[in-house]
Amino acid sequence: MSGTGTLTFTEFKLFLRDPGATIATIGLPVAIVVVFGLIAQPGSGTDPIMTYFPAMALALGLAQLALNVTPTTLASYREKGILRRMSTTPMRPARLLTAQLLISIGLAVAAAVLVVLVGHLGFRFTLPQNFGGFVAAFLLGCAALFAVGLLVAAVAPSARVATGVGVGLFFVSLVFGGVFMPAETLPPFLVRIGDFTPLGAFMQSLRASWGGTMPEPLHLAVLGGYTIVAGLAAARLFRWE
């Protein structure tokens, strides 16, 4: 096994020792689908609002992982001097960052698969009708949200600050992104603001692809823009010690 592979496996075992993180990233999205599946009974109708529930579960889990878990973990490693000590060994700190990203992406994919399968097989939520659009939205959403999360980790001087900033962004994103409540029930100006947030663009892209249409170019462009801008800023500002 390569050095990066060994480090990824070790970091994954450390992640599993924190049951709260596992529940938040995988258990919570699945639980949301189960609860709303029991309440809404999606198999009994074709109301477009039904695309909200599985998309919301995915968006919530990914946002939790990207904006809360990842920044706090990396900032705590910097604060404890782990990155600085690694810089004196052949295991470069960049490999730790790669390992964290691989774990996060793997968890996001696992959560997505479980949400889709549990929702469809258990409660007859429809499968994403535009599969190509769903994949594009999911991958761009992951890239955009993790880029923002890494930017938080890059500028936060401590794990406490990273947690505070991440939690603030998380809850603001839920409100403006059409996650806390369906876009159909929000004032138009909030929906418009959400179109230009990474979580809002991600949520609307997921719902569009779930309903059978291609995500709007605006939403995909917003996700791509956050990926590039936040990703470059994170790379430029990130410090290992």
Side-chain angles (χ1 to χ4, degrees):
M1 183 180 294
S2 67
T4 301
T6 302
L7 183 59
T8 301
F9 181 68
T10 302
E11 287 294 311
F12 182 63
K13 289 194 296 182
L14 292 174
F15 177 86
L16 293 179
R17 291 179 182 177
D18 182 3
T22 305
I23 292 172
T25 56
I26 296 181
L28 180 60
V30 174
I32 289 173
V33 168
V34 171
V35 169
F36 282 104
L38 292 171
I39 295 173
Q41 298 181 347
S44 62
T46 58
D47 193 323
I49 194 65
M50 292 303 171
T51 64
Y52 163 73
F53 300 113
M56 179 266 285
L58 280 182
L60 189 64
L62 181 58
Q64 178 77 8
L65 180 62
L67 301 180
N68 292 344
V69 177
T70 300
T72 300
T73 300
L74 292 174
S76 67
Y77 281 0
R78 184 193 299 113
E79 185 179 14
K80 295 175 182 176
I82 295 174
L83 298 180
R84 177 177 54 80
R85 291 194 295 272
M86 287 185 64
S87 66
T88 64
T89 71
M91 183 63 71
R92 306 300 296 173
R95 291 189 176 184
L96 177 61
L97 181 59
T98 301
Q100 287 291 330
L101 288 176
L102 288 175
I103 293 170
S104 297
I105 292 172
L107 290 170
V109 172
V113 171
L114 286 174
V115 165
V116 172
L117 291 181
V118 171
H120 180 65
L121 298 178
F123 304 97
R124 292 194 291 168
F125 279 108
T126 60
L127 294 172
Q129 301 300 294
N130 188 320
F131 186 72
F134 174 79
V135 172
F138 183 78
L139 292 179
L140 277 175
C142 285
L145 287 167
F146 281 121
V148 173
L150 289 176
L151 180 57
V152 173
V155 300
S158 66
R160 180 176 297 179
V161 173
T163 300
V165 174
V167 169
L169 287 175
F170 176 73
F171 283 105
V172 169
S173 297
L174 294 187
V175 174
F176 289 99
V179 178
F180 185 71
M181 295 181 66
E184 291 89 338
T185 66
L186 294 175
F189 79 92
L190 282 182
V191 176
R192 190 58 177 169
I193 292 173
D195 287 338
F196 294 94
T197 66
L199 192 58
F202 177 56
M203 182 71 180
Q204 297 309 317
S205 295
L206 285 181
R207 291 194 62 184
S209 61
W210 225 297
T213 61
M214 192 69 185
E216 292 185 16
L218 170 64
H219 294 148
L220 297 180
V222 167
L223 293 175
Y226 274 99
T227 299
I228 295 172
V229 175
L232 290 176
R236 183 174 182 84
L237 298 173
F238 202 91
R239 296 293 180 269
W240 300 111
E241 57 180 313

